[in-house]
Amino acid sequence: MAGKWAKKRAKKRKIGSSSPAPPDDPLEYASLMRARAREHVSLQGEGGEEDHDIAQIIREVRAILAVNAEILDRCVPHLHSLETKKGSTSATFEVRGRYDAVTVITVKGETHFLTRERYSYEKFCIDPLLTLPDCLEDIISVKYKEVGHLSVNCVDFDTFFQNSLSLHDEVLGPFIANLKDHLENIQVCLGEIDGWIMGGDSNAKFLERVFDMKLSKLRNCNMGAPKCTGRRKREQQNAGRPDSDSCENSSGSDCENSSGSAYKDYGVLKICEELGEYKRTFDITKEDERSKLKRFIEFMAN
């Protein structure tokens, strides 16, 4: 929006359209060119004509560049595809390891708590990484660098910033102030992507907490899982032994063989030896469903 506003403002003021002939004196000519560059940067940016603390802005820009690079490094491995429409580029990111449900089924007198790892996809606009706003154009030459396995041509902002430091101070001040604003916009863009990538951890942490296990050790449906013996089943099988709520190792699970291929991609969180027939799914992305799952687990353990 700022770019469109600046273009309209520039057209109204007709910058350079009625300028007098440039002076012959080299120093006067250099001074005039710097003034025009400063006017271009100030009019199109958001900094206006205010004075700028160049040293402070340089420190801030360097810090933002470092943080942006760190976030970008975390996001790039999850890049799945690119799409450009009407001059705007969107990137689709993927994440594996999202868990959004727990399925409970009874097989041969045993109740299985199952979950499945899935891929999740989300699309984000990445234009700030690929282009410059009007207030940063036409002053410093732009270099690009390929990022990620899809070779995304992103602006090399590190080089761009370093080259900008050769500008005269009266141009440099508003220029790097505008650059800082743009880098902050990039940080917001990357932060949204990074937040989405990391966001799925809450469901995984919930499962690990409730089932007291690490999902990295989740076994396939036909490989067995920790077995919890319910009270009524314990009374039948463990007569004369002290009751215990501790889990025992199961030698195997028949959920795949008994239920066909429907659950072959699932992992077993827990197996409870409990009388009764159960078949339902808990959506753990919803808080009320999480509460129901916890109550159901407590019921099975008693």
Side-chain angles (χ1 to χ4, degrees):
M1 294 297 293
K4 292 181 179 179
W5 172 84
K7 287 181 180 179
K8 292 180 181 179
R9 184 175 176 184
K11 287 181 180 179
K12 288 181 180 181
R13 300 181 68 161
K14 298 181 180 179
I15 299 173
S17 60
S18 58
S19 300
D24 294 330
D25 183 81
L27 295 180
E28 290 182 6
Y29 179 79
S31 179
L32 176 63
M33 292 302 103
R34 284 196 296 267
R36 287 183 178 178
R38 179 177 175 82
E39 182 183 22
H40 171 80
V41 172
S42 298
L43 283 176
Q44 301 201 54
E46 298 181 359
E49 298 293 337
E50 64 190 56
D51 292 331
H52 300 280
D53 185 340
I54 293 176
Q56 178 61 24
I57 297 175
I58 289 176
R59 283 191 290 269
E60 292 174 353
V61 168
R62 294 181 66 186
I64 297 171
L65 284 170
V67 172
N68 286 0
E70 181 180 335
I71 300 175
L72 183 61
D73 286 343
R74 291 200 298 267
C75 296
V76 166
H78 299 277
L79 183 60
H80 177 264
S81 61
L82 296 172
E83 181 181 29
T84 300
K85 285 185 178 180
K86 298 181 180 180
S88 180
T89 301
S90 296
T92 298
F93 291 82
E94 68 173 358
V95 174
R96 182 182 179 183
R98 294 288 172 90
Y99 299 87
D100 57 12
V102 172
T103 297
V104 180
I105 61 169
T106 301
V107 179
K108 295 183 178 180
E110 294 182 332
T111 300
H112 298 72
F113 290 79
L114 312 176
T115 191
R116 178 172 58 178
E117 184 182 43
R118 67 180 181 85
Y119 282 94
S120 185
Y121 300 87
E122 191 68 30
K123 185 183 293 185
F124 297 89
C125 176
I126 58 170
D127 286 342
L129 289 162
L130 312 180
T131 59
L132 292 171
D134 294 338
C135 58
L136 297 177
E137 289 184 335
D138 306 324
I139 303 295
I140 297 292
S141 61
V142 183
K143 292 184 178 181
Y144 295 85
K145 61 180 180 181
E146 294 184 350
V147 175
H149 60 284
L150 295 181
S151 299
V152 185
N153 282 319
C154 296
V155 175
D156 186 344
F157 284 101
D158 288 286
T159 300
F160 187 76
F161 168 61
Q162 292 165 12
N163 291 341
S164 72
L165 298 179
S166 63
L167 295 172
H168 191 279
D169 282 2
E170 65 183 28
V171 179
L172 177 62
F175 186 85
I176 60 174
N178 291 336
L179 175 59
K180 181 170 90 68
D181 290 341
H182 185 63
L183 293 175
E184 288 174 340
N185 290 336
I186 291 175
Q187 192 167 101
V188 172
C189 171
L190 292 174
E192 291 176 352
I193 299 171
D194 190 45
W196 176 79
I197 291 172
M198 302 299 292
D201 285 350
S202 62
N203 292 345
K205 290 177 180 177
F206 168 77
L207 291 178
E208 290 182 338
R209 183 175 66 255
V210 169
F211 290 96
D212 191 23
M213 66 177 298
K214 291 293 183 182
L215 290 176
S216 59
K217 298 181 179 180
L218 191 67
R219 288 173 286 183
N220 290 337
C221 201
N222 61 350
M223 294 177 62
K227 180 185 292 185
C228 260
T229 305
R231 176 180 55 81
R232 286 175 291 175
K233 194 71 172 179
R234 286 200 305 270
E235 290 175 351
Q236 295 176 8
Q237 293 184 347
N238 301 329
R241 294 171 54 189
D243 279 354
S244 172
D245 288 330
S246 61
C247 291
E248 304 170 356
N249 288 329
S250 170
S251 59
S253 168
D254 294 323
C255 58
E256 179 179 0
N257 296 330
S258 299
S259 304
S261 60
Y263 301 102
K264 67 178 182 179
D265 296 328
Y266 284 69
V268 185
L269 295 162
K270 179 182 288 188
I271 300 174
C272 289
E273 294 186 347
E274 181 66 26
L275 300 177
E277 293 287 332
Y278 305 99
K279 187 174 182 180
R280 65 168 299 175
T281 297
F282 297 90
D283 182 356
I284 60 172
T285 65
K286 300 177 180 178
E287 194 60 40
D288 62 328
E289 289 285 290
R290 288 187 177 191
S291 298
K292 291 178 182 178
L293 174 60
K294 288 190 286 187
R295 289 196 298 269
F296 186 77
I297 294 172
E298 291 172 358
F299 165 76
M300 297 296 287
N302 294 322

